[in-house]
Amino acid sequence: MTLLAAMLVACMGIYAQKTMKAPAGGKAISDELLGIFFEDISSAADGGLYAELIQNGSFEYNPTERDGWGPGTAWRLTRPGHSLGWIAYGTEQPLNSNNPTYMRLHTERVGHYYDFNGWTGFGIQNDGFDGISVKAGAKYNLSIYLRNVKGDAKKVRIALSEPQQGWGRPPKLIADAEFQVSGNGWQKYEAQLTAKEDASKANLQILSLTTGILDVDMVSLMPEDTYKGHGMRKDLAQALADLHPKFMRFPGGCVVHGGGDGFWDTYRWKTTVGPKEQRRGLKNTWGYHQSMGLGYFEYFQFCEDLGMEPLPILPCGVSCQGTNGGWSMRDQAQDVVPMEEMDEWVDEALDLIEWANGDVNTRWGRLRAEAGHPKPFNLKYLGLGNEERISPEFIERFKYIYEKVRAAHPEIVIVGTAGPGSHPGNRDFEAGWKLADEIGLPILDEHYYEPRDYFLNKRQYDDYPRDRKTKVYLGEYAAKDKKLIDALAEGLYLLHVERNGDVVCMTSYAPLFARKNATNWNPDLIYFDNERPFLTCSYYVQQMFGLSAGQYYYGDCVTIDGATNLQGQSVVLNVKTRQLFVKMCNASADGKKAHLDLSRFKGMKSATKTVISGQPEDENNYDQQPIAPQTSTIKVSKKMDLDLAPYSMVMLQISL
């Protein structure tokens, strides 16, 4: 298959077999228009989608990540029953060189049980991410590495507990386990804890009940009940599944190439796919630690679980545009890999393709199989670069890696970058498109964040050449607020994208997740705390477009009286599912009447009508959720009228 043919199959959704014939007048468009972009920003991974409940379980936090941080961050000393001792971190003879730091407990005295109502021992306590939330009857899988360093074999108690109010009162026990630690080498201990009751602010205590010296590392507490059993937090994963995304771009974003920190902080996928204790944690671009518990294997498995195409993004030898003051100094030099070292970065891409798609007899395919996935992941897309300045240095290195990958794997659809602020006239944008046209790049990734007025008034893709080989991936975009009017502005813009679905083949809102009290960027699509997600107005608009994917666009089926740039419409046909989707948006203060002529479509009887509406300044937040879709069933006819309320978006889903 030629590269162009592969791109058309993957991006445009044109297949030899269809379940129904599309009526005349439609335009072939991509049926992968809506996806998601996952970046570990605002604690989206650790403390978020990745269901691990222990923070800094490997004791690898350090001051390079955040001022004041260290191995003991998120931990505290605990010594119930007036036990005595001291703690220190160590790095000698570590469990693994990728995670060299561990905590050493020096226990000098274990208090009597009666001193604290049966609660005693010397050790450390972890409060998770703003507390550990557990549910009565739920099971939690504990694992921990322990090493007896000096003294008799150690009796160690692991207690999941919740503080009680009142001075001198012992913690409330939620669940516990005990281990006998002997020998002088690292050993892994595991237990399943069943919570006796609900707790929103629980903690985990590791208590030595024997004097002497004990080492602790790689502490983990995971819910047994995760999304499809693969380690993702169920409610957050379900929120993504409910968007019906067709692909997921990961792991960034500026996370890909180290943000403003330089190449030492570049995300290397190979250090994220082995056993958890062997993975190398990394400073996050956004100022915290990435444990890599959510690594490339988990990303690919999650894509498989949700039926999404994986779209991994790899660095291509040029630093983030934020390096060397690049955010404020437009012409500051980039950090670049010397050309004689570029083959290392080529291998990074080629080995990833082999890891994802290779037979179990290949080196990297065997590693995937050993991790529990002998079947290939069937990677189709690969992104090279993220928002770099399109400098001569970038162009030289991008061409080098692009040609090497294309020669070895012509079946892989390569996604390039148009830099930040991807609007016509922007210097990087123009240089990025010149490069794309020159080399015949399949897809170019555009990014822009703008005030709502841009999305209400601009229509960027109407003027793009229709004969260009390169398609557009709008990989990062959002209106700069999270009111209903912002969501409607994005909806209008997505209607414009659908109209240009022959040019634009993919889109993804950004950022995706933000944890309460740990937010680096606003707005975000989904906010969350330990108990539940909070879905924004924009989330529901995205969901509407995710539900309504199709292969053909019809632009002449709906007219809206007195339409301005604040109204829009789209009719999309999915020939595979035999579904017709009619979407209409009214972002004005005046009600409008829409006239529908669906005469060309046969077999219509009824439709599911979904409406998102409210006041323009309405906003879903932690305290109130005024905006949610309202659904009903209505009869449909070949010709019909619909009233569009002020500040509303409406979708009809019709089975044919």
Side-chain angles (χ1 to χ4, degrees):
M1 181 182 291
T2 67
L3 178 62
L4 179 58
M7 179 193 70
L8 288 172
V9 169
C11 189
M12 299 300 294
I14 300 174
Y15 298 84
Q17 299 294 324
K18 293 184 173 70
T19 56
M20 65 175 292
K21 184 177 179 181
K27 176 169 63 175
I29 64 171
S30 169
D31 60 0
E32 294 182 342
L33 269 178
L34 190 124
I36 56 176
F37 163 45
F38 184 94
E39 180 172 13
D40 191 357
I41 181 174
S42 302
S43 296
D46 295 317
L49 181 63
Y50 182 52
E52 175 63 63
L53 297 172
I54 300 300
Q55 184 176 182
N56 192 21
S58 61
F59 305 100
E60 298 297 334
Y61 282 24
N62 65 76
T64 66
E65 298 168 327
R66 185 167 293 178
D67 289 343
W69 271 20
T73 299
W75 294 91
R76 69 173 86 176
L77 186 70
T78 183
R79 52 187 195 91
H82 304 291
S83 301
L84 297 176
W86 55 284
I87 62 175
Y89 71 88
T91 57
E92 294 182 0
Q93 297 180 311
L95 176 63
N96 188 276
S97 59
N98 283 338
N99 289 285
T101 310
Y102 53 84
M103 192 62 69
R104 176 161 288 182
L105 310 183
H106 299 258
T107 304
E108 295 185 343
R109 174 185 183 270
V110 177
H112 297 294
Y113 283 93
Y114 59 76
D115 286 344
F116 204 41
N117 293 336
W119 199 283
T120 190
F122 176 81
I124 51 178
Q125 171 183 314
N126 192 285
D127 296 325
F129 299 88
D130 300 322
I132 298 173
S133 177
V134 298
K135 300 299 180 185
K139 300 180 185 300
Y140 299 87
N141 295 326
L142 168 76
S143 69
I144 183 171
Y145 281 84
L146 300 169
R147 178 171 62 182
N148 184 27
V149 180
K150 185 176 181 180
D152 296 336
K154 304 290 187 293
K155 188 177 182 179
V156 176
R157 185 189 190 204
I158 312 294
L160 184 60
S161 63
E162 186 176 43
Q164 296 192 80
Q165 299 298 318
W167 184 85
R169 298 188 67 190
K172 182 190 300 179
L173 182 64
I174 305 297
D176 68 342
E178 290 189 358
F179 303 120
Q180 194 75 11
V181 183
S182 58
N184 57 5
W186 287 107
Q187 296 182 59
K188 185 177 184 179
Y189 296 83
E190 296 178 286
Q192 189 169 81
L193 306 180
T194 302
K196 297 179 181 178
E197 55 186 275
D198 290 352
S200 60
K201 292 289 185 180
N203 57 59
L204 190 77
Q205 296 188 20
I206 303 168
L207 300 167
S208 176
L209 305 181
T210 310
T211 58
I213 302 175
L214 178 75
D215 289 339
V216 181
D217 204 358
M218 294 304 295
V219 185
S220 173
L221 185 68
M222 290 281 287
E224 181 188 52
D225 189 18
T226 60
Y227 192 77
K228 296 193 176 182
H230 291 153
M232 301 299 113
R233 184 173 144 179
K234 285 189 73 173
D235 57 348
L236 298 186
Q238 188 60 54
L240 297 184
D242 291 343
L243 287 170
H244 301 272
K246 302 304 181 291
F247 65 89
M248 183 172 81
R249 170 180 168 229
F250 60 88
C254 291
V255 165
V256 167
H257 45 200
D261 292 313
F263 282 121
W264 70 269
D265 198 32
T266 297
Y267 194 107
R268 308 301 291 268
W269 72 266
K270 294 178 182 179
T271 67
T272 77
V273 295
K276 299 293 177 73
E277 67 272 13
Q278 296 178 15
R279 299 183 184 184
R280 180 174 63 88
L282 191 67
K283 178 189 176 183
N284 185 283
T285 296
W286 304 102
Y288 55 91
H289 183 81
Q290 298 176 87
S291 73
M292 300 304 175
L294 176 52
Y296 258 55
F297 182 86
E298 289 75 21
Y299 281 127
F300 273 79
Q301 192 171 60
F302 188 58
C303 287
E304 187 175 79
D305 287 343
L306 264 66
M308 303 181 291
E309 296 291 345
L311 173 50
I313 309 296
L314 296 180
C316 56
V318 179
S319 69
C320 175
Q321 74 277 17
T323 304
N324 299 324
W327 293 110
S328 57
M329 303 172 66
R330 175 62 180 77
D331 293 308
Q332 187 75 14
Q334 294 168 303
D335 287 342
V336 297
V337 171
M339 285 303 299
E340 60 268 22
E341 298 177 13
M342 275 299 296
D343 283 342
E344 175 186 346
W345 302 89
V346 172
D347 289 343
E348 193 96 346
L350 297 180
D351 292 345
L352 174 61
I353 296 169
E354 181 178 287
W355 177 84
N357 292 353
D359 185 85
V360 295
N361 295 315
T362 64
R363 176 190 175 189
W364 291 102
R366 183 170 59 253
L367 185 67
R368 181 198 69 241
E370 290 171 352
H373 202 284
K375 292 183 179 180
F377 281 116
N378 299 317
L379 175 69
K380 294 197 305 187
Y381 297 115
L382 178 65
L384 298 175
N386 171 76
E387 282 193 1
E388 293 89 352
R389 288 197 298 111
I390 314 301
S391 63
E393 294 83 4
F394 170 85
I395 292 171
E396 181 181 20
R397 284 153 183 80
F398 184 89
K399 281 183 175 179
Y400 186 82
I401 190 171
Y402 173 73
E403 294 297 341
K404 294 279 189 179
V405 174
R406 188 176 69 167
H409 291 283
E411 77 282 4
I412 297 295
V413 179
I414 302 296
V415 180
T417 178
S422 303
H423 296 307
N426 176 281
R427 185 161 56 174
D428 291 320
F429 174 88
E430 299 296 342
W433 271 106
K434 181 179 178 181
L435 173 62
D437 290 338
E438 176 187 337
I439 65 176
L441 184 69
I443 302 174
L444 193 66
D445 184 7
E446 298 184 351
H447 296 178
Y448 42 88
Y449 299 90
E450 300 290 347
R452 68 176 69 119
D453 284 350
Y454 175 85
F455 296 101
L456 288 171
N457 296 302
K458 301 293 184 181
R459 301 292 184 263
Q460 180 159 327
Y461 300 111
D462 284 343
D463 297 327
Y464 276 40
R466 314 327 271 189
D467 58 351
R468 234 174 195 162
K469 292 182 178 180
T470 304
K471 302 303 177 184
V472 176
Y473 168 33
L474 178 51
E476 294 185 33
Y477 75 98
K480 291 185 175 180
D481 207 343
K482 49 184 182 290
K483 307 289 196 300
L484 175 61
I485 187 61
D486 299 285
L488 294 177
E490 293 158 357
L492 277 172
Y493 201 72
L494 283 174
L495 292 174
H496 155 68
V497 167
E498 276 190 333
R499 183 171 71 247
N500 291 281
D502 55 334
V503 170
V504 184
C505 63
M506 302 163 116
T507 69
S508 52
Y509 182 104
L512 185 62
F513 280 125
R515 181 180 175 85
K516 185 179 182 181
N517 301 326
T519 298
N520 300 105
W521 183 287
N522 274 301
D524 303 276
L525 196 65
I526 302 169
Y527 294 80
F528 64 91
D529 60 17
N530 286 343
E531 301 291 331
R532 62 191 179 102
F534 301 87
L535 308 177
T536 62
C537 302
S538 293
Y539 173 91
Y540 291 119
V541 169
Q542 293 284 314
Q543 184 182 60
M544 188 175 283
F545 281 86
L547 281 164
S548 58
Q551 300 80 32
Y552 291 93
Y553 169 85
Y554 296 84
D556 59 351
C557 297
V558 179
T559 58
I560 300 174
D561 289 344
T564 69
N565 58 308
L566 298 180
Q567 288 80 39
Q569 57 83 25
S570 171
V571 175
V572 171
L573 174 66
N574 191 317
V575 295
K576 300 174 188 177
T577 64
R578 303 181 68 93
Q579 297 277 310
L580 183 69
F581 301 95
V582 181
K583 295 190 294 292
M584 296 158 285
C585 184
N586 179 17
S588 74
D590 301 317
K592 296 289 182 178
K593 185 173 289 292
H595 307 283
L596 283 61
D597 185 348
L598 306 177
S599 302
R600 72 191 73 183
F601 305 104
K602 310 301 180 184
M604 299 183 302
K605 293 182 180 179
S606 64
T608 298
K609 180 182 179 183
T610 303
V611 180
I612 302 169
S613 65
Q615 297 302 309
E617 297 299 310
D618 284 347
E619 176 182 331
N620 289 350
N621 54 43
Y622 295 105
D623 299 316
Q624 294 181 327
Q625 299 272 299
I627 302 299
Q630 304 298 316
T631 61
S632 60
T633 300
I634 65 170
K635 291 183 178 181
V636 291
S637 56
K638 292 182 178 180
K639 294 186 178 182
M640 56 185 293
D641 295 338
L642 280 178
D643 291 322
L644 303 180
Y647 304 112
S648 68
M649 188 152 190
V650 179
M651 180 175 75
L652 302 183
Q653 181 175 350
I654 306 168
S655 296
L656 301 177

